[in-house]
Amino acid sequence: VGVCVCVSESVMEVQSYLIGVIEASVAVLGGEGVAAYGKDIINIILTILHSPNTAAHEDCLRTAGLMAKEIGPDFSGYMPHIWPYLGGYLKDRDRGSTYITAVLATSDVARAIEGRIMSYCDDIVGCLLAALSSPTLESRAKPPTLSCLGDIALGIGSRFTRYADPTMTLLQQATLFDMPLDDSIPAQTMLRNDLWEGILVAYSGVIMGLREAPPVQFANLVKIHMATMLGFIRKISETFVMVDGSPRYGFESVLRASCGLLVNQSRKNQENQENQENKKSTNK
């Protein structure tokens, strides 16, 4: 029995080294190289994910995300094989860093295969919304989960309308969450900044994703949530400056995300106005 345990541990150690090398190789090979060895890479990933070597599973998910970024839409061909494992970790929000890695990999896949992720979206969005509604979700897992919703919205475009209401309602609730402002604790400050940035990225993703939705439907959605979005941006702008007039630490990315949301809203409103004017001209 002792020999078997030793061999098993040796195999797991080799697997961990192997997936580490593959992860580094994917980053170096580029799109054409990864595409050429895609089947071999995915087979190794699946073999390790199917094994009890949970320590290497995060590396496998991260490598899958890198593959998606390198080969783009072609990664959709591997989704039926990788999804049972990726989806399983998305549902297991109490797995800490492994859940976060699964969320980040899902974002990579959504950006890479765009609309081809639609057949998995009921499960993905359901997992993300359930995680964000759970009191047990770690604080550090909330920003990437929020951002992933934005990536899904951008990926599937106007088809995100079926998820828009629950997503926007959850984002509205998230804007009300407050953390103590203690600039003497950088980790706490960065966590708050990451959370706010995640909310803004999700809002922007939904706004941009729905740019092809029927104008009336989009207008009604924005009308309901406009006050919340602008109030949240106002809260951020008021928080940016400390009592002594100096900017708060690490706040630049949050401000950029705020500007991005405002720009996206303005562009969509302008598009709707132009469409209405074109219709009037056509009717004349």
Side-chain angles (χ1 to χ4, degrees), residues 142-169:
K142 293 177 181 178
T145 304
L146 289 161
S147 297
C148 190
L149 284 170
D151 290 325
I152 294 294
L154 281 172
I156 64 176
S158 60
R159 289 178 290 178
F160 194 80
T161 50
R162 65 192 295 177
Y163 312 114
D165 285 337
T167 298
M168 295 295 272
T169 299

Side-chain angles (χ1 to χ4, degrees), residues 200 228-237 258 261-262 265:
L200 292 164
T228 299
M229 288 188 282
L230 293 179
F232 183 52
I233 292 174
R234 186 181 301 113
K235 175 173 137 179
I236 290 172
S237 65
S258 299
L261 176 57
L262 288 172
Q265 281 183 302

Side-chain angles (χ1 to χ4, degrees), residues 21-255:
V21 171
I22 291 175
E23 182 181 353
S25 300
V26 167
V28 172
L29 284 171
E32 291 185 5
V34 173
Y37 296 100
K39 290 183 180 179
D40 296 324
I41 294 172
I42 207 71
N43 283 335
I44 294 173
I45 290 174
L46 294 173
T47 298
I48 298 175
L49 284 172
H50 191 64
S51 76
N53 189 4
T54 55
H57 287 188
E58 281 187 50
D59 293 328
C60 289
L61 297 174
R62 192 160 41 244
T63 303
L66 284 173
M67 275 189 70
K69 286 198 288 187
E70 293 295 341
I71 64 177
D74 290 341
F75 189 81
S76 60
Y78 299 119
M79 275 298 286
H81 309 291
I82 199 74
W83 171 247
Y85 303 99
L86 184 58
Y89 278 118
L90 280 180
K91 293 175 184 176
D92 198 358
R93 54 183 173 269
D94 295 325
R95 289 295 293 266
S97 60
T98 309
Y99 165 79
I100 294 173
T101 304
V103 170
L104 294 173
T106 302
S107 286
D108 290 336
V109 171
R111 289 191 294 267
I113 69 175
E114 297 181 333
R116 299 183 188 187
I117 202 172
M118 185 66 208
S119 58
Y120 305 95
C121 281
D122 282 353
D123 288 333
I124 294 173
V125 176
C127 288
L128 298 176
L129 293 178
L132 289 167
S133 301
S134 172
T136 63
L137 183 67
E138 291 184 25
S139 296
R140 66 192 177 107
K142 293 177 181 178
T145 304
L146 289 161
S147 297
C148 190
L149 284 170
D151 290 325
I152 294 294
L154 281 172
I156 64 176
S158 60
R159 289 178 290 178
F160 194 80
T161 50
R162 65 192 295 177
Y163 312 114
D165 285 337
T167 298
M168 295 295 272
T169 299
L170 187 143
L171 291 175
Q172 182 179 24
Q173 295 169 354
T175 63
L176 301 175
F177 179 74
D178 276 316
M179 294 180 67
L181 289 173
D182 188 347
D183 294 290
S184 65
I185 309 176
Q188 187 183 80
T189 301
M190 292 306 297
L191 182 60
R192 181 207 58 213
N193 292 351
D194 289 344
L195 178 64
W196 285 1
E197 186 177 356
I199 295 170
L200 292 164
V201 169
Y203 268 133
S204 292
V206 174
I207 295 296
M208 290 301 293
L210 296 181
R211 63 185 178 273
E212 300 299 332
V216 174
Q217 190 175 18
F218 177 85
N220 289 336
L221 181 72
V222 172
K223 183 178 179 181
I224 294 171
H225 296 281
M226 177 67 79
T228 299
M229 288 188 282
L230 293 179
F232 183 52
I233 292 174
R234 186 181 301 113
K235 175 173 137 179
I236 290 172
S237 65
E238 292 171 351
T239 308
F240 173 65
V241 179
M242 293 192 291
V243 177
D244 63 1
S246 60
R248 291 189 182 276
Y249 171 73
F251 222 78
E252 293 81 1
S253 60
V254 181
L255 286 179

